[in-house]
Amino acid sequence: MAGRNFLFVPGPTNIPDRIIRAMAVPSEDHRSPIFGQLTLPLFEQVKEVFRTKAGQAFLFPATGTGGWEAALSNTLSPGDKVVCSRYGQFSHLWIDLAQRLGLDVVVLEEEWGTGTHAEHIEKLLVEDKAHKIKGIMVVQNETATGVTSDVASVRKVLDQAKHPALLYVDGVSSIGSIDFRMDEWGVDVAVAGSQKGFMMPAGMAIVCASQKALEAGKTAKLPRIFFDFGDQAKANATGYFPYTPSLPLLYGLKESLAIIFEEGLDNIYQRHHYLASGVRAAVAAWGLKLCAKAPRWYSDTVSTIVTPEGISGADVISRAYQRYNLSLGAGLSQVAGKVFRIGHLGDLNELMVLGALSGTEMAMRDVGIKIEPGSGVAAAAEHFRGSNSAK
Ligand SMILES: *Cc1c(COP(=O)(O)O)cnc(C)c1O
């Protein structure tokens, strides 16, 4: 098919040409005397994206899932009690991982389309006088349902209850795209992956740990080998790794960080909000509903759109791909078939979003969804004309 595929899944995201070029490198000795010149600045710059000065950054050859495992296995012991709210496929998978590591997970079931309710966590913290709860896990942006949760509100209830539990945040589809402040929100371990806001191929888990988390690691007894923070920290101190790092991904990260700082984090958050608002204007004009139940949950990186009764989201996705070379995100688990997703994160601008909305509109009409032709595109275009992006 001529022309580019329109990649509008919420990860992996479009890779800027600059990053693709930066990754085309020959292999070099990862123990050379000058290797640290490449790697040492990366650890510092990654911390800026997480907005942490006090924390420590780790770069693992892995994906977000590996980051989840690193976060928990480095800081907890078998049988430790942790709390996690479940409201989509990603929170579900992180809970599953925690259970399989041997943790005692208290699961708070929340309606899909909502997120972490700090008041539900608060109740558990207040009752837990003996401080049996060792960690609270929050998926900041639930990519399955297009829901963003308020991490600061969780820090607030931890502080009010004077509870020492560690705060774990999955920021895989939010860090670098949606406001995230590790130090200010007192996050102890935060997890990101290379293929979302960092605009790279999958293959690198990017994790930051607070000093409190590193301290907890000294007595934590869950086994970890490949993901051991201690082994990493020792080698990373001089710019090396305990095993062979992926050189192309390190060069890709260097370029990704350059691109991120050229635009500026605040401008990036604003651009994501502005593009997402255009998508939401289109959904409203189509007369369709988001899976997210209320504006407080709206995600600026992914919109999960509910298809009308009797029409499968999978048909929209299949038609969009086969006829218009447009990749939309599938409905996962509980919402499979009932929704489709438009990912709008990473290296995107207005016209790219309008192209995706146009393809979505055509595919929806092709499978029998009764929407006014051009209505969503027009609503988004007028939104974009009427407001300025960051710059
Ligand atoms: C993509 C994603 C993950 C999993 O990442 P992988 O890189 O596929 O392992 C975890 N959490 C969230 C919120 C995600 O969006």
Side-chain angles (χ1 to χ4, degrees):
M1 219 184 259
R4 282 197 176 191
N5 167 250
F6 263 57
L7 184 63
F8 277 79
V9 297
T13 65
N14 293 290
I15 307 176
D17 293 348
R18 276 174 63 178
I19 294 183
I20 293 179
R21 284 195 294 270
M23 290 188 308
V25 289
S27 279
E28 59 186 84
D29 176 13
H30 62 292
R31 306 203 192 281
S32 82
I34 61 159
F35 197 63
Q37 290 175 13
L38 166 66
T39 57
L40 288 171
L42 299 180
F43 293 111
E44 288 313 305
Q45 289 173 3
V46 156
K47 283 167 53 174
E48 285 180 49
V49 178
F50 282 61
R51 295 217 148 126
T52 179
K53 287 197 160 61
Q56 184 159 354
F58 298 95
L59 304 172
F60 293 106
T63 68
T65 305
W68 279 344
E69 185 166 333
L72 302 177
S73 67
N74 275 289
T75 51
L76 295 163
S77 298
D80 274 356
K81 184 177 284 200
V82 292
V83 176
C84 187
S85 307
R86 173 157 49 201
Y87 37 78
Q89 181 65 1
F90 291 94
S91 41
H92 168 71
L93 288 173
W94 200 13
I95 288 166
D96 176 61
L97 183 145
Q99 288 169 334
R100 285 155 70 176
L101 281 176
L103 297 170
D104 173 12
V105 189
V106 180
V107 179
L108 293 169
E109 300 290 352
E110 303 291 359
E111 186 187 4
W112 286 35
T114 71
T116 293
H117 289 76
E119 62 276 21
H120 298 170
I121 293 171
E122 181 175 29
K123 192 161 165 289
L124 295 176
L125 292 173
V126 169
E127 285 165 3
D128 181 37
K129 300 281 183 247
H131 295 166
K132 288 260 190 277
I133 297 170
K134 300 301 176 198
I136 308 289
M137 296 152 58
V138 178
V139 175
Q140 186 189 14
N141 189 74
E142 175 51 78
T143 319
T145 55
V147 159
T148 301
S149 289
D150 178 3
V151 176
S153 70
V154 179
R155 167 46 57 197
K156 206 161 141 202
V157 297
L158 275 160
D159 287 350
Q160 275 167 357
K162 297 196 168 52
H163 200 291
L166 294 169
L167 177 56
Y168 299 88
V169 175
D170 169 346
V172 179
S173 62
S174 48
I175 291 174
S177 312
I178 293 174
D179 191 15
F180 179 80
R181 307 175 198 189
M182 179 152 173
D183 284 358
E184 193 179 318
W185 297 344
V187 174
D188 291 298
V189 191
V191 179
S194 51
Q195 79 274 29
K196 299 194 183 171
F198 285 91
M199 307 168 285
M200 289 158 61
M204 184 186 278
I206 305 168
V207 178
C208 283
S210 71
Q211 291 305 319
K212 183 176 163 189
L214 296 173
E215 195 57 37
K218 292 180 183 161
T219 51
K221 297 205 162 48
L222 276 175
R224 64 267 181 178
I225 302 105
F226 188 80
F227 290 118
D228 192 274
F229 281 168
D231 291 350
Q232 292 290 327
K234 215 184 294 167
N236 290 171
T238 46
Y240 299 99
F241 289 81
Y243 35 68
T244 320
S246 164
L247 203 67
L249 287 177
L250 290 172
Y251 279 102
L253 179 62
K254 181 180 171 186
E255 195 63 24
S256 160
L257 291 163
I259 292 172
I260 287 171
F261 295 129
E262 277 166 27
E263 185 174 2
L265 276 175
D266 290 327
N267 290 334
I268 292 174
Y269 302 152
Q270 205 177 319
R271 174 169 55 82
H272 280 77
H273 179 68
Y274 161 77
L275 294 175
S277 302
V279 172
R280 290 191 283 264
V283 174
W286 290 329
L288 297 177
K289 288 214 153 33
L290 292 170
C291 183
K293 298 291 176 200
R296 69 177 276 215
W297 304 115
Y298 288 173
S299 165
D300 283 342
T301 57
V302 52
S303 292
T304 300
I305 298 158
V306 180
T307 47
E309 207 50 50
I311 292 172
S312 170
D315 292 342
V316 178
I317 295 163
S318 164
R319 179 71 183 170
Y321 185 74
Q322 301 204 22
R323 175 69 178 82
Y324 303 110
N325 203 10
L326 165 66
S327 295
L328 298 171
L332 302 172
S333 176
Q334 218 184 84
V335 290
K338 297 177 186 158
V339 302
F340 66 88
R341 297 178 293 157
I342 301 179
H344 33 79
L345 74 159
D347 186 39
L348 288 178
N349 61 25
E350 292 99 325
L351 295 192
M352 292 164 83
V353 169
L354 287 172
L357 291 173
S358 167
T360 304
E361 212 164 87
M362 290 189 285
M364 286 197 295
R365 283 179 54 79
D366 291 349
V367 302
I369 300 179
K370 291 186 176 42
I371 50 167
E372 188 66 30
S375 56
V377 173
E382 286 305 290
H383 172 78
F384 294 148
R385 270 177 16 87
S387 55
N388 282 317
S389 82
K391 287 167 237 152

